[in-house]
Amino acid sequence: MDAELNEILGLAADAAQSKVAAVLAFCPLGARVFAGRGLLQHPEEYVPVTASVYERMFPSYRAVTLPAGHLPTDIRRILSADLSGSYLAFPLFVDMDRHGVLILRREGSAGWAEAEIAHLERFARLIRLRMRNMLDALAAQTVFEQSDSGLMIGRFLTDDTGEASDLLIENANNAFRAFVGNDMPDRLLPLWPDATVILAAAATLMADAPTQKLELPGPHGGMEWFEARFRRLADDRLLLMVTEVSERRRLFQRLVEQEERRRLANRLAELGVWDFDPATGHTTVDDNLRGMFGVVGARPIGFAQVLRAIPNADRRRARREAAALLLSESKEGVSFPIRVKGIDDGTMRHIMVSGVRMTRHDGRPAWLIGAARDITLRVEREERDRLLHQELGHRLKNTVTLVLGLVNQTFRTSRDIEGARTALMSRIRALGAAHEHILIGDTNGARFEDVVQGALAFGEFEPGRIRASGPELRVGQRSALHLALVLHELVTNAVKYGALSSEAGRIVIRWSIEDQNAVMEWRESGGPRIAPPARSSFGTRLIASGLTGGGQAAADIQYHPEGFYCRLSAPLSELAG
């Protein structure tokens, strides 16, 4: 019997000068009768009082006085044979649930005064309060015992310096015993040496501080890991809950590895990943895509910044494509190119954007996910190729004109057919060699001087009419082809309109290196007076594209009366490409 409850019963019997003080306890406190003082026929047995009897005795949950002859049969069965006297009964309930009856018996026929009943009601309230605590403790103990997590309550032990040295295990549930092994000593560290970190962390906590959490290897080693949640209680006690998290850690590790593999694959494939939620406007981009948008560092960018970085025409297209994709039920995605001006670096880039529509099954609007690839180099290469193709067509027309001119000039100045044939074949072979140099080039690059001389070779100009000089300089294959086309255009224009169209005309070509830039100057003199063309032809635009046609190449073109002049430049790094 609960000692505190027994004491309250004894006090109640003394106060009432009663021979009997009994509590008929119902489950879950136990199937037995708790006896105070007096005679009971079955003090160690449980004789239930039915709900109907309880309700007849206490229709209003208040104390009742009963003559001996009016006691319910269920009550009489457990009382002594002497049923004389008068009885006072109090209902014992917790939260309106019936849990027992307090019965007080007084010999004789004297009744129970109202003041006396009110006084004894205080003892009934004490008993009800104690029963509530017992029920709460019972419920807590049930949860403690039946928990799937290991639970332990221990008291701190200290060494000679006052530092926490171990935990004395006061209570542990079955799951904790299984965790450390059923042959469990009374101290924690011999069972689980790695728990020293729990002890060190808990020793610094105040009582009732928030619950702390750590993950540790298990007491038996191996690959098992456990999450330890602990909280310091009053009286130097610690509540510890242990849950195995091995599988969760393995899953998390696999997710981390998968994410790293995805990042590596995206980096190698030069892909940027994005998602967009139209309901919130929230946009997420990875590091690769931030680089494509010219963002310095790892700072996040929002939807508004993304839109501002896209020029108006491309922005309207992106909006149309996104809207059509959101409204479509098709699972097919879309791909389209856009231009982007760097948010931080201001560089214009070309990006191919691909996206698919994701469907939510909870009724919320769909969202978009996708990838992007920087296609700036491809676009620039295609533009250069287009320019070259146009130039080749233009060059073909010029070549036909030159060949016809060569034929006419040769036959006009030759004295016989054989001499004309020999001269004509020589000039045509020189022209073919120039074309071969332009179209094939050197896979390892070429010398700047060779490119210049190759472009001038077909003309068979008189010695001294064209002077070309400059330092040793290497030109990449693509830049060599572009440079040869530019020089051919300059020579063709000089033959048609400039210095080489008259006998007195001269051309000086000089190239140099200035501040990590390659510079070539073309200066004509002695030819007819010239003026800027009325319209910008394709050839003029080609010359204006500079030495390489790249983004950092520059051209200064001047039409002086005494002769044409241009200054073309490009970074050495671009010239080597």
Side-chain angles (χ1 to χ4, degrees):
M1 182 177 181
D2 181 73
E4 184 176 347
L5 184 59
N6 188 44
E7 182 179 357
I8 297 172
L9 286 170
L11 291 173
D14 291 341
Q17 297 178 356
S18 171
K19 294 294 184 180
V20 176
V23 175
L24 287 67
F26 302 142
C27 291
L29 294 181
R32 59 177 298 183
V33 173
F34 294 111
R37 183 182 297 122
L39 298 175
L40 295 177
Q41 291 185 11
H42 309 285
E44 298 300 328
E45 297 179 13
Y46 174 61
V47 181
V49 177
T50 64
S52 61
V53 171
Y54 194 96
E55 291 171 356
R56 287 200 304 272
M57 286 183 65
F58 309 107
S60 62
Y61 285 88
R62 297 178 62 85
V64 296
T65 57
L66 297 169
H70 289 75
L71 284 173
T73 303
D74 292 351
I75 300 297
R76 269 187 265 177
R77 280 205 312 267
I78 64 172
L79 296 179
S80 61
D82 184 7
L83 296 176
S84 61
S86 59
Y87 292 83
L88 177 62
F90 292 91
L92 300 178
F93 52 87
V94 176
D95 297 330
M96 305 307 291
D97 289 335
R98 300 179 292 269
H99 286 286
V101 179
L102 170 62
I103 299 176
L104 301 173
R105 173 177 174 264
R106 177 179 291 169
E107 295 181 355
S109 58
W112 302 84
E114 289 294 329
E116 188 177 23
I117 294 174
H119 176 66
L120 294 172
E121 171 65 28
R122 298 179 189 141
F123 292 99
R125 285 199 297 268
L126 288 175
I127 294 172
R128 285 195 290 267
L129 179 60
R130 179 57 191 159
M131 291 178 72
R132 174 189 290 275
N133 293 338
M134 292 170 66
L135 288 168
D136 290 345
L138 180 64
Q141 185 64 28
T142 301
V143 172
F144 187 87
E145 290 294 341
Q146 295 181 356
S147 173
D148 293 332
S149 299
L151 293 170
M152 185 274 293
I153 296 177
R155 183 185 296 275
F156 284 99
L157 299 176
T158 57
D159 55 20
D160 295 338
T161 64
E163 297 292 330
S165 60
D166 208 338
L167 279 174
L168 178 65
I169 299 175
E170 295 184 338
N171 195 4
N173 67 354
N174 292 332
F176 190 84
R177 294 187 184 94
F179 164 66
V180 297
N182 289 325
D183 298 332
M184 189 175 69
D186 59 354
R187 298 195 179 193
L188 179 63
L189 293 187
L191 297 170
W192 193 13
D194 287 323
T196 51
V197 294
I198 299 176
L199 195 67
T204 63
L205 299 176
M206 300 293 292
D208 295 327
T211 300
Q212 304 298 306
K213 180 173 67 175
L214 292 172
E215 288 191 4
L216 304 172
H220 306 300
M223 300 298 293
E224 292 184 340
W225 278 76
F226 293 83
E227 180 184 81
R229 293 175 178 264
F230 53 93
R231 184 175 184 178
R232 186 158 185 167
L233 307 176
D235 300 329
D236 283 334
R237 284 183 170 84
L238 183 75
L239 172 63
L240 173 64
M241 182 175 72
V242 179
T243 306
E244 185 173 358
V245 293
S246 304
E247 184 61 22
R248 187 182 75 187
R249 284 178 64 91
R250 284 191 288 270
L251 289 174
F252 179 75
Q253 184 62 31
R254 283 200 290 269
L255 288 175
V256 171
E257 293 171 356
Q258 290 173 2
E259 177 64 16
E260 286 302 316
R261 284 195 291 269
R262 184 191 68 79
R263 289 178 183 272
L264 177 60
N266 288 344
R267 189 161 57 248
L268 293 176
E270 298 181 342
L271 286 177
V273 180
W274 58 271
D275 66 73
F276 169 61
D277 188 341
T280 62
H282 180 70
T283 302
T284 304
V285 301
D286 69 354
D287 292 341
N288 287 352
L289 197 56
R290 271 195 291 270
M292 295 180 198
F293 274 80
V295 177
V296 177
R299 65 183 179 88
I301 56 176
F303 181 62
Q305 291 174 293
V306 170
L307 285 182
R308 284 197 298 269
I310 304 174
N312 289 335
D314 293 355
R315 187 186 310 165
R316 287 192 293 270
R317 179 179 182 182
R319 287 183 180 275
R320 287 197 304 270
E321 296 284 359
L325 191 58
L326 285 169
L327 295 175
S328 172
E329 296 296 330
S330 173
K331 295 183 179 179
E332 297 295 327
V334 296
S335 295
F336 55 91
I338 59 172
R339 292 167 299 160
V340 171
K341 184 177 182 180
I343 294 174
D344 293 331
D345 61 14
T347 301
M348 186 65 73
R349 297 175 176 87
H350 296 264
I351 296 176
M352 179 63 72
V353 179
S354 301
V356 294
R357 176 181 181 271
M358 302 300 293
T359 303
R360 292 186 173 99
H361 300 289
D362 57 2
R364 291 184 296 160
W367 81 103
L368 304 180
I369 64 172
R373 184 191 298 274
D374 190 336
I375 58 171
T376 303
L377 294 179
R378 190 186 83 185
V379 170
E380 291 179 348
R381 183 170 58 250
E382 291 174 350
E383 178 62 23
R384 285 197 298 269
D385 291 345
R386 186 184 65 82
L387 186 65
L388 292 175
H389 291 158
Q390 290 182 352
E391 170 57 19
L392 287 175
H394 180 68
R395 176 65 184 271
L396 181 59
K397 294 178 181 179
N398 286 342
T399 302
V400 172
T401 302
L402 288 173
V403 170
L404 292 175
L406 288 174
V407 171
N408 291 332
Q409 183 180 3
T410 301
F411 279 95
R412 188 170 55 247
T413 59
S414 296
R415 296 180 178 179
D416 54 64
I417 296 299
E418 183 61 27
R421 187 186 69 81
T422 302
L424 181 61
M425 292 299 295
S426 174
R427 290 167 179 169
I428 291 177
R429 279 195 296 270
L431 184 60
H435 273 286
E436 183 178 359
H437 179 80
I438 293 172
L439 295 176
I440 298 176
D442 183 355
T443 57
N444 297 317
R447 297 172 63 242
F448 197 99
E449 183 177 3
D450 291 341
V451 177
V452 173
Q453 296 300 336
L456 301 177
F458 77 92
E460 294 189 3
F461 303 110
E462 297 177 6
R465 295 197 69 182
I466 301 178
R467 289 184 297 162
S469 62
E472 183 68 21
L473 187 59
R474 299 293 296 182
V475 185
Q477 181 182 7
R478 187 176 297 276
S479 297
L481 178 59
H482 182 85
L483 176 59
L485 292 173
V486 170
L487 288 166
H488 174 265
E489 189 66 31
L490 289 170
V491 172
T492 300
N493 290 344
V495 170
K496 289 181 177 180
Y497 318 111
L500 299 181
S501 65
S502 67
E503 295 183 359
R506 299 289 184 271
I507 298 176
V508 176
I509 306 171
R510 298 186 186 278
W511 61 90
S512 60
I513 299 175
E514 300 178 4
D515 298 329
Q516 298 301 311
N517 289 309
V519 178
M520 185 191 78
E521 291 182 292
W522 175 286
R523 188 183 302 275
E524 299 182 19
S525 62
R529 294 178 64 85
I530 62 171
R535 61 184 182 86
S536 178
S537 66
F538 180 79
T540 304
R541 293 197 301 273
L542 180 65
I543 296 171
S545 66
L547 287 179
T548 63
Q552 300 184 63
D556 178 18
I557 300 174
Q558 300 177 18
Y559 295 90
H560 298 302
E562 61 272 15
F564 176 79
Y565 169 83
C566 69
R567 185 178 191 273
L568 310 180
S569 64
L572 291 174
S573 59
E574 194 172 280
L575 187 70

